Amino acid sequence: MAAPLEPWRVSAFNTAKLSENKMHDDNVAQRFGFSGGLVPGVEVMAYMMHLPVVRWGREFLERGLIEARFVKPVYDGETATVSGHDEDGALAIEVESRGALCATGAAALPERAPVVDLRDYAETAPAAVRPPIGPGAFAPGLWLGTAPVTWGGAKLREYLAEIRETEPIYLANNLVHPGTLQRIMNRVLVDNVVLGPWIHVGSKMQLLAAASGDDTLTARAKVVANYDKKGHRFAEFDALIVANGTTPIAHCHHIAIVQPRELAAA
């Protein structure tokens, strides 16, 4: 049996205060009933990834599976405590802050990474002109792309500082933190549509290879669902993160409220 993992405590940092998504702005978020700007879900998921990397090391970066659901906000400057325990061969993970459960999820290490056919995911450029969010945005079946990005060198060091990650495996081996892949998944939305305030509510990610800081990364994403739930407008995306146009790095399912009910009803 694996040794119990010590909880991972992070001083949460709102990396998106100045982003287009004003759900991360204190004043706007308060109008939606929150205490302040939300720490992005992709960063909370990055906090969660610390434990499986401690448990499985590079093997997790090469073929690990992780999923997360965000149930309450994490706020800037507050302590987020990430805890994990073994459950049916997986690692159950929870994030608590301000005495509340903020995120739940699980991580596992499959015996091998699944084979994904690159030809099943259409290479698509991001929108040349982004339309505003509206009834026709994120239509099911639509293919979306992202601008290419690299995460090596100083950019990786800055990212690791932002998510408070201290594991040496990334800088020692020029490996990209998988949380950056979740940032790319957010780009699927914002590189293609002009959004108002929106909320990332959950993701599932199967890692297929460890990305290098020298890799150029893009997403090839398909809208697989678009629906109303409790007045919110949701969209779901199935995507492949690809390195250098040739190597699948991660298979992702991303869920977001693209129009909160306050805006969808406007």
Side-chain angles (χ1 to χ4, degrees):
M1 179 178 289
L5 289 168
E6 291 293 325
W8 175 242
R9 293 180 175 85
V10 179
S11 177
F13 175 46
N14 181 1
T15 58
K17 286 182 179 180
L18 302 179
S19 76
E20 269 189 18
N21 184 2
K22 295 307 178 186
M23 199 62 80
H24 304 298
D25 175 87
D26 287 341
N27 292 329
V28 174
Q30 286 167 2
R31 295 206 296 269
F32 285 83
F34 299 110
S35 298
L38 280 59
V39 171
V42 295
E43 318 300 25
V44 176
M45 193 167 177
Y47 304 159
M48 297 169 76
M49 294 178 198
H50 177 85
L51 294 185
V53 173
V54 169
R55 169 61 55 82
W56 293 301
R58 182 167 181 148
E59 288 183 290
F60 181 79
L61 303 179
E62 294 172 343
R63 64 178 194 275
L65 173 66
I66 185 165
E67 57 185 316
R69 296 286 295 191
F70 311 113
V71 294
K72 285 187 179 295
V74 174
Y75 294 107
D76 187 68
E78 298 288 345
T79 298
T81 300
V82 185
S83 58
H85 65 273
D86 293 293
E87 188 174 280
D88 297 327
L91 185 65
I93 304 173
E94 294 184 344
V95 180
E96 294 184 346
S97 186
R98 289 185 170 184
L101 179 65
C102 297
T104 64
L109 187 69
E111 289 188 10
R112 60 186 62 84
V115 176
V116 178
D117 193 335
L118 194 63
R119 294 170 296 183
D120 291 338
Y121 289 82
E123 185 173 7
T124 307
V129 178
R130 296 181 300 156
I133 186 69
F138 302 125
L142 181 67
W143 284 96
L144 303 168
T146 60
V149 65
T150 59
W151 283 101
K155 192 171 182 180
L156 178 58
R157 290 192 292 273
E158 179 181 357
Y159 173 79
L160 294 173
E162 287 179 349
I163 64 166
R164 312 320 197 209
E165 182 57 73
T166 59
E167 276 296 300
I169 189 172
Y170 305 104
L171 295 179
N173 298 280
N174 191 32
L175 294 176
V176 168
H177 190 287
T180 63
L181 309 180
Q182 287 294 299
R183 283 195 181 182
I184 293 172
M185 287 303 301
N186 273 357
R187 299 307 311 179
V188 169
L189 285 75
V190 300
D191 280 0
N192 293 286
V193 174
V194 178
L195 295 162
W198 63 279
I199 304 171
H200 173 208
V201 297
S203 286
K204 184 175 183 178
M205 181 166 66
Q206 170 66 65
L207 298 171
L208 304 170
S212 162
D214 300 323
D215 289 332
T216 298
L217 302 170
T218 55
R220 302 180 182 186
K222 184 178 183 179
V223 183
V224 294
N226 186 314
Y227 53 90
D228 285 323
K229 184 177 180 181
K230 297 181 179 179
H232 299 302
R233 170 61 61 174
F234 284 76
E236 300 191 19
F237 307 85
D238 175 71
L240 197 64
I241 306 291
V242 179
N244 311 314
T246 60
T247 305
I249 293 296
H251 181 206
C252 304
H253 188 86
H254 211 62
I255 307 171
I257 297 174
V258 294
Q259 283 186 291
R261 57 176 158 256
E262 294 84 350
L263 297 180

